[in-house]
Amino acid sequence: MNCPNCNSVLPDKMNSKMNFCPICGGKLFEDGKEYMIEICCTGQRSLDGGTIMLFLDDTSLYEIEPGDKIYLKLRSGFHTFKFRHRIRNKTIQLLISHNYTIRVYYNTLSSLIETIVNEADDSQYGSTFANVQIAQPSMVSPDGQRSFDVMLGEDDPEYEISATSGFKQGILRLFAERLEFSSEKDFKKEIIQYNDVVAINKKMGSLDIQCTGNVHKVYIIPKDIYNEALVFLNNRVADVQG
C-alpha cells in the first residue's frame, strides 16, 4: 500500500484506526465515504470445486465460484481481505480510498493463492458498477467479533504426512512458517523453522532438509504426495526468507 499523498510505501499491517501517513503526515482517506470493490475469481473450473472463500475484516464470509464476480460496498479506511481455498490462505490489507478491482485465483503450479489489486478507472465507474448487486455474506460473526478462527485453522498444518525419519515412524506436519516431525513412540516434536533452512534436496525419494550449521534432516514420505510437498516447502521457504 502507498500513501495517496507522498506515494511512500506504508508499513505492513497498519493500525486500522490510523488516518495519517507516518512519513508525510498527510490524511490517508476521507472519513465516511463509500467505495465499490469488484472481486473476480479467475481460477480454473474443476469437478472437485474451485470455490474461494473471502473472510472480510474477520467478520463476514463470502464465497466466490470460478468465473464469477461479487461486488462489495465498503467504507473508506483499512480493510482486511483473507482469501481461502481448501487449506490455503492469503491475507491482504487494503486502504480503501478509491474503487478497486481484485482478481484472485488458486495457482495450481505454486499451490498458492494469487491476488492482483487494481484501482478502478473512475471514468468507467458508471459502466463497471452500474446496476450491480451488492453481495450478501454467507455468514456473519455475532456482534462483529472474530469467530472464524476454527474455520480458518490459523495455525493448523497445511499438510499432515506419514513419514519416517531414521528408525522413527511418525507424522510430518508442514505449517506456513515451520515443519514439525513427531514420532509415534516418544511424541517429541522435531521443529524446523523455514528461516533456518539452507536447502531442500531430493535424496532417493526422501526430503533432505539442510539447515544452518550443516545440519541435515531426512524424511521419507509417500510417493503420491512427494512432489506436492516438495513444491510447497520450496515456495514457503522462499517466501519466508524473502
Side-chain angles (χ1 to χ4, degrees):
M1 295 183 297
N2 292 69
C3 171
N5 304 301
C6 65
N7 203 37
S8 299
V9 177
L10 297 174
D12 292 336
K13 298 181 180 179
M14 285 273 292
N15 187 321
S16 60
K17 296 181 180 179
M18 183 179 290
N19 191 10
F20 65 89
C21 173
I23 299 168
C24 72
K27 197 170 184 179
L28 294 174
F29 57 88
E30 186 176 343
D31 293 301
K33 293 201 68 175
E34 290 188 329
Y35 296 95
M36 295 289 290
I37 312 297
E38 178 187 66
I39 302 177
C40 312
C41 182
T42 59
Q44 296 291 326
R45 293 174 173 83
S46 59
L47 294 177
D48 55 354
T51 302
I52 285 183
M53 295 186 290
L54 164 62
F55 298 85
L56 177 62
D57 295 327
D58 292 309
T59 60
S60 302
L61 167 64
Y62 299 85
E63 297 179 86
I64 318 166
E65 298 291 337
D68 286 349
K69 301 176 182 178
I70 66 170
Y71 294 89
L72 307 175
K73 184 177 286 187
L74 301 180
R75 293 178 67 85
S76 57
F78 291 97
H79 292 270
T80 300
F81 298 77
K82 185 173 294 185
F83 297 98
R84 182 175 177 84
H85 178 269
R86 297 180 186 168
I87 59 173
R88 298 287 182 265
N89 291 325
K90 171 68 177 291
T91 301
I92 60 174
Q93 187 184 39
L94 191 61
L95 170 59
I96 302 298
S97 56
H98 296 89
N99 304 305
Y100 284 96
T101 295
I102 303 175
R103 300 188 183 277
V104 56
Y105 68 98
Y106 175 68
N107 189 326
T108 55
L109 295 178
S110 65
S111 297
L112 297 173
I113 294 174
E114 307 288 350
T115 54
I116 302 172
V117 180
N118 289 307
E119 186 178 317
D121 185 351
D122 287 341
S123 65
Q124 301 295 318
Y125 181 90
S127 58
T128 301
F129 299 116
N131 302 317
V132 300
Q133 184 175 356
I134 304 301
Q136 297 300 311
S138 303
M139 187 185 304
V140 178
S141 64
D143 303 320
Q145 299 299 311
R146 293 175 59 96
S147 64
F148 294 122
D149 291 348
V150 174
M151 186 181 293
L152 282 169
E154 289 289 352
D155 200 33
D156 287 344
E158 303 282 359
Y159 291 90
E160 285 188 314
I161 307 168
S162 297
T164 302
S165 178
F167 296 104
K168 296 181 179 180
Q169 291 186 336
I171 301 295
L172 181 66
R173 296 178 174 86
L174 308 183
F175 293 81
E177 308 289 335
R178 69 191 187 283
L179 65 83
E180 296 180 357
F181 175 80
S182 56
S183 171
E184 296 175 341
K185 293 184 177 180
D186 54 25
F187 299 103
K188 292 182 179 179
K189 289 183 180 179
E190 186 176 82
I191 300 174
I192 297 176
Q193 300 290 341
Y194 296 152
N195 270 326
D196 298 328
V197 174
V198 175
I200 302 174
N201 304 303
K202 293 183 178 180
K203 186 176 182 181
M204 297 180 65
S206 61
L207 299 173
D208 178 8
I209 301 176
Q210 181 183 350
C211 305
T212 53
N214 200 30
V215 175
H216 288 258
K217 297 293 183 180
V218 180
Y219 304 100
I220 301 173
I221 64 175
K223 293 180 180 179
D224 60 351
I225 197 66
Y226 183 85
N227 289 330
E228 186 175 349
L230 183 63
V231 169
F232 174 79
L233 283 170
N234 280 318
N235 284 332
R236 290 306 306 150
V237 168
D239 190 49
V240 168
Q241 296 185 2

